[in-house]
């Protein structure tokens, strides 16, 4: 097996008396699609916050492409090639769909701020190339028809997909998806699964997926890690996870038990 | 030629053409017109900070005073030494004035950097308080520097500000802010305002955006201060207190935060309003404040915003 792209080693974070993530190990290899599941409050989003530099870990290390991410700001980590979506959608509300994606193109701009004033050929070529790239991405997600609409006016499922488009515009190596199917209906979920798989192949991405919908998780993940009370309780392929008694117990009382057994 | 540049060129030529006739203008109207131009510069530049980038600064009058004092110091020092008693030719004066304005603007920009770097970490009300405090510190500092006239301020500043300079700099300010914002780079200011966490997650250095907005804003406030000083020919520290900052903030809010055209219109309107209210003399400020309150209640999204109010973020 090649060296993992992302590696968390014994990562712990405490918020006051609460240990939200405890001695957590995780590896995501190149081109791999890993699922991260667990009951509500298990610490999944916190893991994303630790990877993307929102919180520094209290203990342990996060390495990406062999380099330690400690001390890097959120935007610097994004520049390294890690982007994420948010569980509670975070779009730029006053900007259009096009401009939401455009903001994310700043990491790969060819011209600097001074060019915005001079507006020479190089600037115009740069802006035209960015616009073309945005439109290609919007086409891929069938969002082109909303190009100039305010992002906030989009239907819920479309907003979630726009967030993924915005991530792709940063040309990431690793994409973190935080419950991308939340609030979607069954058809939208099927479409999302297809899209995640297509995007992963087309952009040669590694993906870490947090998702409550077992249908989605079991459908796309090659490997699944299960988190409960901040600790890893199981890891393995989807079939093994579904049979794992610890996992079933962790989900006991939650309605996910039903969907797990169902599968 | 790119369209914004063409627009700027036309604006500059128009400013030049209009200023050719300024001798025929009623001096009172000239005064009001210059006041409008200076307020447009102040409001449009503050709009980059408070409107587009969403950082609530109350220190704009402070930066304006830095520009006013330093540019005045430059012309007061150099004009007699360079031009002697005859005052120099129009071109000589123009060059000195331009240099003085740039010195004033740059010093204000440096002040913006010094204030911005530590305070832009603060959010909302705290930033407002810190910038307010900073503006007052600058004012008190000028009050106590005897070389700059102390509480009496500076007098006999050469009257270099013509209608041309005011209109030209208003055009340049609008041009630069508009070009900056209307670009992939510039959308980052708005993204910083809309959602800082998301902006950072897609790779924007939001702190840098805030500082750039603050420094550019301060620069133009400094330019406006220089124009003001060489227009009034007398400046006192009291002319740049926080009520002036609030006046500019009100223009930005009424114009519809982050809407340059609206802010320009609001600056024009709010400069004219006190003039129109002159006949009611002592009730003027009461009526002015009353109108402001009514406007803010009636059109909280800004006088000149015609879009529906933004949906609340989820
Ligand atoms: N910034 C924070 N301060 C305090 N507690 C937090 C913070 N972030 C998360 N937590 C707590 O950590 C636990 C894990 O939360 P989270 O990662 O959001 O769970 P999940 O995404 O798995 O539902 C929860 O108990 C939550 O309240
Ligand atoms: Mg979560």
């Amino acid at each position: 097996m090649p060296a993992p792209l992302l590696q968390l080693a014994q990562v712990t974070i405490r918020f006051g008396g609460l240990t939200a993530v405890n001695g957590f190990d995780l590896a995501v290899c190149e081109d791999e699609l890993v699922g991260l599941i667990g009951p509500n409050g298990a610490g999944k989003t916190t893991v994303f916050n630790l990877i993307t530099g929102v919180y520094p870990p209290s203990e342990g290390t996060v390495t990406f492409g062999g380099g330690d991410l400690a001390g890097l700001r959120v935007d610097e980590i994004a520049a390294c090639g890690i982007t994420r979506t948010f569980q509670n959608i975070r779009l730029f509300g006053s900007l259009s769909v096009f401009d939401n994606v455009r903001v994310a193109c700043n990491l790969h701009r060819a011209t600097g701020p001074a060019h915005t004033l001079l507006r020479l050929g190089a600037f115009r070529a740069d802006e035209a190339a960015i616009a073309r790239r945005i439109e290609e991405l919007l086409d891929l997600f069938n969002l082109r028809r909303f190009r100039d609409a305010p992002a906030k006016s989009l239907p819920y499922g479309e907003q979630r997909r726009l967030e993924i488009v915005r991530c792709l515009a940063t040309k990431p190596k690793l994409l973190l998806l935080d419950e991308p199917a939340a609030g979607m209906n069954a058809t939208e979920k099927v479409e999302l699964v297809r899209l995640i798989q297509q995007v992963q192949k087309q952009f040669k991405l590694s993906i870490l997926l947090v998702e409550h919908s077992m249908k989605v998780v079991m459908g796309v993940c090659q490997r699944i890690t299960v988190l409960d009370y901040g600790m890893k309780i199981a890891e393995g392929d989807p079939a093994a996870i579904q049979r794992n008694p610890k996992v079933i117990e962790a989900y006991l009382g939650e309605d996910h038990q039903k969907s797990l057994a169902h599968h | 030629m790119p369209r914004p540049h063409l627009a700027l060129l036309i604006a500059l030529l128009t400013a030049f053409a209009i200023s050719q006739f300024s001798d025929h203008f009623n001096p009172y109207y000239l005064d009001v017109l210059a006041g409008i131009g200076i307020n447009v510069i102040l409001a449009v530049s503050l709009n980059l900070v408070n409107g587009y980038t969403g950082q609530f600064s109350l220190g704009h009058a402070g930066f304006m005073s830095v520009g006013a004092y330093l540019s005045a110091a430059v012309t007061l020092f150099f004009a007699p030494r360079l031009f002697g008693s005859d005052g120099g030719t129009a071109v000589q004066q123009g060059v000195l004035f331009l240099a003085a304005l740039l010195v004033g603007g740059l010093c204000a920009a440096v002040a913006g950097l010094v204030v911005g770097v530590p305070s832009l970490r603060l959010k909302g009300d705290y930033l407002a308080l810190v910038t307010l405090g900073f503006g007052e510190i600058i004012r008190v500092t000028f009050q106590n520097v005897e070389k700059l006239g102390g509480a009496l301020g500076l007098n006999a500043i050469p009257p270099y500000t013509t209608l041309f300079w005011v209109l030209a700099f208003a055009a340049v300010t609008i041009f630069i802010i508009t070009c900056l914002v209307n670009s992939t780079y510039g959308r980052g200011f708005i993204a910083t305002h809309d959602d800082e966490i998301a902006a950072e997650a897609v790779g924007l250095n939001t702190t840098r955006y805030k500082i750039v907005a603050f420094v550019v804003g301060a620069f133009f406030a400094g330019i406006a201060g220089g124009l003001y000083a060489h227009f009034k020919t007398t400046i006192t520290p009291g002319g740049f207190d926080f009520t002036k900052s609030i006046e500019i903030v009100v223009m930005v809010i009424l114009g519809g935060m982050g809407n340059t055209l609206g802010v320009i219109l609001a600056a024009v309107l709010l400069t004219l309003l006190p003039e129109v209210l002159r006949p009611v003399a002592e009730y003027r400020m009461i009526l002015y404040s009353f109108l402001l309150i009514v406007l803010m209640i009636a059109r909280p999204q800004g006088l000149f915003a015609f879009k529906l109010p933004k949906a609340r973020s989820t």
Side-chain angles (χ1 to χ4, degrees), chain B residues 131-297:
Chain B
T131 49
L132 181 88
F134 147 78
E136 292 301 289
I137 288 171
I138 292 194
R139 193 172 60 79
V140 173
T141 306
F142 283 133
Q143 215 153 42
N144 288 294
V145 177
E146 286 309 320
K147 272 237 153 43
L148 293 173
L152 294 176
L154 291 176
N155 295 305
I157 303 166
Y160 288 160
T161 300
T162 61
L163 195 56
F164 169 74
W165 286 113
V166 174
L167 296 180
F169 271 106
V172 168
T173 309
I174 295 166
F175 167 81
I176 289 184
I177 305 273
T178 307
C179 280
L180 211 54
V181 172
N182 287 322
S183 66
T184 298
Y185 168 76
R187 285 296 185 259
F189 292 108
I190 303 170
T192 299
H193 169 215
D194 282 3
D195 195 322
E196 221 175 305
I197 292 172
E200 286 173 4
V202 296
L204 298 194
N205 184 341
T206 55
T207 308
R208 176 162 318 155
Y209 269 102
K210 290 183 208 168
I211 291 172
V212 168
F214 216 65
V215 170
V216 171
F219 174 81
F220 285 109
I223 296 279
L227 290 165
Y228 175 84
H230 293 81
F231 184 70
K232 295 283 178 201
T233 70
T234 302
I235 49 175
T236 57
F240 306 100
D241 65 0
F242 77 94
T243 53
K244 181 66 190 171
S245 287
I246 288 173
E247 193 187 317
I248 311 164
V249 167
V250 168
M251 290 172 187
V252 173
I253 293 174
L254 264 186
M257 310 264 246
N259 169 356
T260 298
L261 189 61
V263 168
I264 295 168
L265 292 173
V268 174
L269 190 77
L270 289 189
T271 317
L272 286 177
L273 197 56
E275 301 302 328
V276 176
L277 294 176
R278 236 173 236 289
V280 290
E282 62 264 42
Y283 300 111
R284 192 160 72 126
M285 285 329 281
I286 298 173
L287 211 56
Y288 176 82
S289 318
F290 180 73
L291 277 173
L292 279 187
I293 294 168
V294 170
L295 286 175
M296 296 223 185
I297 292 170

Side-chain angles (χ1 to χ4, degrees), chain A residues 15 18 20 39-46 55 87:
Chain A
F15 298 113
L18 176 85
N40 263 328
K44 307 177 296 291
T45 299
T46 305
Y55 307 130
Q87 184 174 348

Side-chain angles (χ1 to χ4, degrees), chain A residues 17 25 40 110 118 124 160 166 182 187 192 210 240:
Chain A
D25 291 317
N40 263 328
L118 299 172
R124 278 174 283 167
R160 287 222 174 267
R166 191 176 65 181
T187 358
L192 182 77
V210 164

